[in-house]
Structures are given as C-alpha cells and as structure tokens.
Amino acid sequence: MSQDIFHVLRSDQFDRSFLDELYEITNKLRKLARTKKGNDYLQTLISDKRAILYFTQPSTRTFLSFLNACQILGIQTSEIRDPNTSSEIKGETADDAIRTFSSYVDLIIMRSPRAGLADKIAKLLDETPRRVPVINGGSGKDEHPTQALLDIYTLRRSFGKSGGDIDGKSIAMVGDVCRGRTVRSLSRLMRHFEGAKVYFVSPDTLKIGDDLREDLKKNNVAFEETTDFENIIPVVDAIYMTRIQDEHDKDGESKHIDYSKFHFTYDHLKVLKKDAIIMHPLPRRKEIDVKVDADPRAKYWRQERNGMWTRVALIAKIFGIDKDITKPYGI
Ligand code: CP
C-alpha cells in the first residue's frame, strides 16, 4: 500500500514505497508526454485546479520546473516572487499573505529564506476551512525535499538502463555540506537504500551540523566526514557537488575559505570510476569545470530536467490522479 501525500515539507516524510511509486508515475508520464495525444490527455486531468508559486528567494530551476509541471497538467498558475510587490510591504505577515492565497488556489508552492516557514504555513492552513496542500520548494538552510526526490530519481536512472538501485552505492556530497539544504534533504533519503554510504567532503569550517549527524546515526545511514576530496573521487559511485552558500554568511566568512580544493576539474575525470556519475543541484559557480559537461558521466543537466518530471508526478500524486497516468485513457 503506497503512502498518501498532502503537504510536501521535508524529505524524511517519504517512505520507500512512496519513492518507488513516484518514479513509476514519473516514467509513465514521460512516455505519455512524447506524443501530442499524451500531452493533450495530461492537460485535461486537473485543468480545474489552480496553483500559486510564492517564491520570495531567488530560483531558476525550482520555479520554472514547477511552473512547467503545472502547465503539463493543465493547472492555471499565479505567482509572487517579490514580497515588496504584495501587501507584505504594508505590514501584512507572511502567514496572513499565504493564508490569503488559500482563498484563491488549490495548491501553494513556496520557497522562502526562512527555515521552517512551509511547515508553519501547512499547520496554520490545517486549522482553517480552506486547507490546501503546501509544497516546500526550499526553506532557508533546512530543507529542499523536492530536490531530494529528483536527485534520487537521477541516481536510480543513472545506475543502469532499467532503473538501477542505490543499494550498496556510495555518494560523495562535496562542498558546503553545512549550509546546503539539498545535501540535508538528500542524505536523509539515503536511509531507504541498503548498504548505501555517504561521504561528506568539505572544508573543516563547513562540516555537517550535529542535528543531521545525529539523524543519520539514528536512521542507520552509513557516513564518513573528510576534507580530502582527491582521495574520495576514485572511490565513489556518485559525486554530488555544491556551491558555497555564502548568502548565509554572518560577516563575509566564506571569503576566507579556500573552496578551490572542492572543485571538480577536467583532470579528475581520469580518476573517476568509468560508471560513476557527477551531479550538482545547480546553480554552479566554479565547482565543476565547464569542460566536464561533455563527459557522459556529467548528469547535472539531465538532473534539472528530471526535476520537472518528478514534480509533475508529485503534483499528480497530491491530487490523486496517479492512476490516470499509470493506466491512461481509462484502460
Ligand atoms: N536546485 C535549485 O534549487 O535551483 P534553483 O535555486 O535555481 O531553484
């Protein structure tokens, strides 16, 4: 029996059966979307629904992939990307602003610099007569659950043509593993894969926090922490690069960190396993040399496209139309 879902707030809310089912829906809808007939069909499924994208922190991929995911399913959208253009500028709280959205739409997709805001809003709406689903598209330093869903999908698709498994595989998460919310959300999902191991590779000053360390231990996720990137590259099955999250600096402290030791260079391709993959949630700065992009092991451009399809599947699951996708046209 698969897991029902309403709000999407944190990656640890997903169980293994949910992941398996979500990716089955994702694969099926990708096939449907290859034809005009399939696309037209998908657009009829929830064309009576409306969504708002409330993104008060910058975003390219998450915003556009959710917007396009809604369009694929025929959902009408509205958006606020700058709180200065909403009545928050008149002193309205974010809580009241978001409660207002629920008067008009059937789904709220939000990104915020505030950790925990999506959870807070979901709880608040649960107490109102207009309870609508909330999807967290990234909240401060703490969570980016839909990024973790697309990352797991990318790992599984990359480890074998028919959807290889992550069981027994090792992944290096590299860079600012302290403040990167994608690292937190993805590493929490590794609990669902037998024998998988995470290497956190970072400068000493940007190691994972105690809360994540304790969470991984409690959930039997095997992990190691190191500053030695060079030695890890030949060992792992996947490398997950991240940029320094200097928007969270208190006083420009990132400037004093030598992040170049955590860059993936063209020469590193020589020592990387031949069937290993390179990922990045993007945007990148200099963490991956652009010359690496042409190597077949570089999966980050596919990863961002996978994000759109997994988000279509997620919305389909929320609105209970998943069976219309796995068994289309009523057959
Ligand atoms: N990966 C990701 O969240 O990218 P954006 O910030 O561009 O949405």
Side-chain angles (χ1 to χ4, degrees):
M1 182 71 185
S2 75
Q3 183 186 10
D4 282 332
I5 200 127
F6 190 73
H7 301 302
V8 174
L9 302 172
R10 325 180 60 78
S11 66
D12 63 6
Q13 76 182 83
F14 310 126
D15 66 20
R16 176 65 188 258
S17 70
F18 174 81
L19 297 178
D20 292 342
E21 193 191 11
L22 186 81
Y23 302 141
E24 190 196 337
I25 302 164
T26 309
N27 289 337
K28 287 275 168 55
L29 72 88
R30 289 181 85 146
K31 273 195 194 137
L32 273 174
R34 280 189 205 139
T35 64
K36 181 167 186 318
K37 182 185 172 199
N39 269 299
D40 289 348
Y41 169 74
L42 287 170
Q43 290 206 3
T44 62
L45 294 177
I46 37 177
S47 53
D48 57 328
K49 301 294 181 197
R50 291 186 298 276
I52 184 161
L53 287 94
Y54 177 65
F55 274 56
T56 58
Q57 194 186 34
S59 167
T60 300
R61 276 145 288 270
T62 312
F63 178 82
L64 283 177
S65 61
F66 266 120
L67 182 68
N68 283 280
C70 287
Q71 288 168 352
I72 287 167
L73 291 171
I75 301 176
Q76 304 291 313
T77 57
S78 44
E79 65 189 58
I80 291 180
R81 301 202 68 176
D82 178 355
N84 290 323
T85 63
S86 83
S87 284
E88 284 175 73
I89 197 75
K90 300 176 211 161
E92 186 171 48
T93 61
D95 297 17
D96 279 2
I98 301 170
R99 180 165 181 175
T100 300
F101 306 154
S102 74
S103 300
Y104 308 126
V105 300
D106 308 288
L107 172 65
I108 296 171
I109 305 165
M110 58 183 285
R111 167 172 288 192
S112 166
R114 280 173 58 188
L117 182 63
D119 303 67
K120 185 174 174 225
I121 295 300
K123 274 200 198 90
L124 181 109
L125 293 180
D126 284 348
E127 306 290 311
T128 73
R130 275 287 301 170
R131 181 176 182 253
V132 303
V134 174
I135 300 179
N136 179 2
S139 49
K141 287 184 270 183
D142 73 339
E143 277 281 352
H144 197 346
T146 65
Q147 177 74 41
L149 292 176
L150 75 91
D151 289 340
I152 293 287
Y153 180 72
T154 302
L155 285 162
R156 290 178 94 168
R157 267 177 88 81
S158 304
F159 292 149
K161 281 196 164 51
S162 58
D165 215 333
I166 301 170
D167 291 350
K169 296 288 198 299
S170 56
I171 176 167
M173 299 191 186
V174 184
D176 189 348
V177 299
C178 174
R179 302 177 293 184
R181 59 193 173 198
T182 66
V183 166
R184 287 169 67 79
S185 293
L186 176 57
S187 58
R188 285 195 165 118
L189 278 187
M190 297 310 280
R191 70 185 64 170
H192 299 303
F193 302 97
E194 194 79 33
K197 179 163 183 177
V198 181
Y199 293 90
F200 294 106
V201 186
S202 73
D204 261 333
T205 47
L206 294 174
K207 291 168 91 164
I208 58 169
D210 286 340
D211 63 334
L212 181 59
R213 203 173 281 123
E214 290 315 308
D215 185 78
L216 296 175
K217 280 184 194 159
K218 197 173 93 190
N219 289 290
N220 301 314
V221 177
F223 70 95
E224 265 180 44
E225 297 175 67
T226 177
T227 56
D228 189 348
F229 186 34
E230 298 292 330
N231 273 328
I232 288 295
I233 296 171
V235 171
V236 292
D237 302 297
I239 297 204
Y240 190 93
M241 301 299 294
T242 66
R243 74 174 168 87
I244 197 158
Q245 306 278 313
D246 49 10
E247 65 270 40
H248 299 297
D249 277 4
K250 291 191 180 77
D251 193 21
E253 57 272 24
S254 293
K255 284 202 281 294
H256 306 295
I257 297 170
D258 181 5
Y259 209 66
S260 64
K261 293 199 179 93
F262 305 91
H263 287 180
F264 192 96
T265 66
Y266 189 69
D267 282 344
H268 286 146
L269 288 171
K270 291 183 203 139
V271 293
L272 185 69
K273 285 184 186 174
K274 68 177 183 356
D275 51 0
I277 63 165
I278 309 158
M279 298 170 67
H280 194 312
L282 303 176
R284 80 172 147 192
R285 289 181 190 164
K286 293 181 180 164
E287 307 83 58
I288 303 178
D289 189 324
V290 289
K291 285 195 289 208
V292 173
D293 292 9
D295 191 280
R297 292 167 289 182
K299 301 292 184 195
Y300 27 94
W301 300 112
R302 268 187 215 183
Q303 192 182 345
E304 65 177 13
R305 187 156 171 81
N306 288 341
M308 180 178 76
W309 295 116
T310 49
R311 286 168 174 140
V312 179
L314 182 67
I315 295 169
K317 195 63 187 121
I318 289 171
F319 287 111
I321 53 158
D322 36 305
K323 292 285 176 294
D324 298 305
I325 291 170
T326 50
K327 295 192 191 317
Y329 314 117
I331 48 171

